[in-house]
Amino acid sequence: MNLDYRARQGLIIGTIAGIALCAFMYMYNQSPVSFILIPVGAIMGCAPFMLKPKDE
């Protein structure tokens, strides 16, 4: 998959936000289900750039 720099930055920032949310939720209730927040945050950070048309 060839990502442009904006999509890659969104992916990295979303991953960092997902790690922060995961750490907070894991400290709050010690459930391993909170680790799913890392890829969800990464996908949410990258999604606006993947869904936008290429001509804009």
Side-chain angles (χ1 to χ4, degrees):
M1 176 185 250
N2 191 6
L3 297 174
D4 65 341
Y5 72 96
R6 292 177 299 164
R8 193 170 300 141
Q9 286 176 349
L11 189 67
I12 292 169
I13 292 171
T15 303
I16 292 169
I19 290 170
L21 283 172
C22 174
F24 176 75
M25 292 301 290
Y26 189 75
M27 286 189 294
Y28 183 69
N29 60 7
Q30 287 84 29
S31 174
V33 176
S34 61
F35 287 107
I36 196 71
L37 293 173
I38 297 172
V40 169
I43 292 170
M44 288 176 64
C46 188
F49 303 106
M50 298 301 291
L51 297 175
K52 190 167 52 170
K54 294 290 183 184
D55 59 353
E56 291 183 4

